[in-house]
């Protein structure tokens, strides 16, 4: 599918001359390549870069893209998602089926044959979590790329899923914890953002914990 995807993107300009937008959109959906708002995705990746996520040294082999996660077979998934956020954030919503860091640490052998993918709001906290767990010998742990949870909501809502996350009771929701109000516009269309009362203080505390645990 990688080669098909590459050639399709090259052909899109010529396709547009002969087919309607609706037909092209259908073609993309069949191939599971949904158009995402490029400007929003670009802004989201700018946030990831400005936070300093690169300091965790996680390359392509330690990162899994959002579309790979979405395309994963739900009946026999290759990935186990680990929500690295705080309880307050998780109480708003999570990706269906995700576990917590505590769940993983109670019995890491349970997941040894799976690729465990950490995520947070944009990939910064989860990047630290990924590095921490990998440093403990869990080489099957990776970080979610493409803006992590917010990127996930962008991709899912672009595919027409209006409530891509779940609440604690398992019900679908379009609520998402965006850490701070300023990040809410970077979530998918129709998502309702929630935030911490004092985001700078939360981030400062998180950075202090990261420095203490990882030295970065």
């Amino acid at each position: 599918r990688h080669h098909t995807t590459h050639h399709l993107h090259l052909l899109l300009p010529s396709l547009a001359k002969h087919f309607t937008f609706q037909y092209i959109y259908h073609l993309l959906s069949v191939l599971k390549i949904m158009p995402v708002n490029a400007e929003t995705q670009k802004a989201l990746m700018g946030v990831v870069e400005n936070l300093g996520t690169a300091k965790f040294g996680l390359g392509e082999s330690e990162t899994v893209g959002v579309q790979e996660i979405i395309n994963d077979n739900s009946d026999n998934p290759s990935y186990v998602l680990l929500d690295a956020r705080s309880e307050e954030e998780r109480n708003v919503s999570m990706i269906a089926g995700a576990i917590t860091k505590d769940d993983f640490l109670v019995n890491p052998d349970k997941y040894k044959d799976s690729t465990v993918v950490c995520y947070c709001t944009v990939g910064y906290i989860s990047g630290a979590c990924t590095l921490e767990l990998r440093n403990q010998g869990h080489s099957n742990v990776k970080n979610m790329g493409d803006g992590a949870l917010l990127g996930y909501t962008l991709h899912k809502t672009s595919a027409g899923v209006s409530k891509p996350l779940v609440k604690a009771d398992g019900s679908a929701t379009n609520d998402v914890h965006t850490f701070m109000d300023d990040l809410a516009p970077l979530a998918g269309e129709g998502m309702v953002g929630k935030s911490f009362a004092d985001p700078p203080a939360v981030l400062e505390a998180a950075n202090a914990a990261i420095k203490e645990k990882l030295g970065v």
Side-chain angles (χ1 to χ4, degrees), residues 13 31 34 87 89 93 102 113 116 124 149 160 185 209:
L31 292 170
M34 302 309 302
E87 184 177 6
E89 293 168 285
S93 63
D102 288 342
D113 295 326
V116 178
Y124 179 69
L149 183 59

Side-chain angles (χ1 to χ4, degrees), residues 86-167:
S86 67
E87 184 177 6
E88 178 179 336
E89 293 168 285
R90 296 195 305 268
N91 283 343
V92 173
S93 63
M94 299 173 65
I95 297 177
I99 64 172
T100 67
K101 183 181 177 183
D102 288 342
D103 293 332
F104 176 82
L105 291 175
V106 165
N107 187 11
D109 285 344
K110 178 180 179 179
Y111 309 102
K112 66 181 181 180
D113 295 326
S114 302
T115 298
V116 178
V117 183
C118 301
Y119 74 85
C120 65
T121 307
V122 299
Y124 179 69
I125 300 297
S126 59
C129 181
T130 299
L131 180 58
E132 179 186 351
L133 294 177
R134 289 180 68 85
N135 285 349
Q136 294 173 7
H138 305 298
S139 58
N140 60 321
V141 177
K142 301 186 178 186
N143 194 30
M144 187 184 293
D146 302 325
L149 183 59
L150 295 190
Y152 180 89
T153 66
L154 274 175
H155 280 71
K156 293 292 280 188
T157 56
S158 293
V161 181
S162 61
K163 296 182 177 181
L165 304 176
V166 296
K167 293 184 175 294

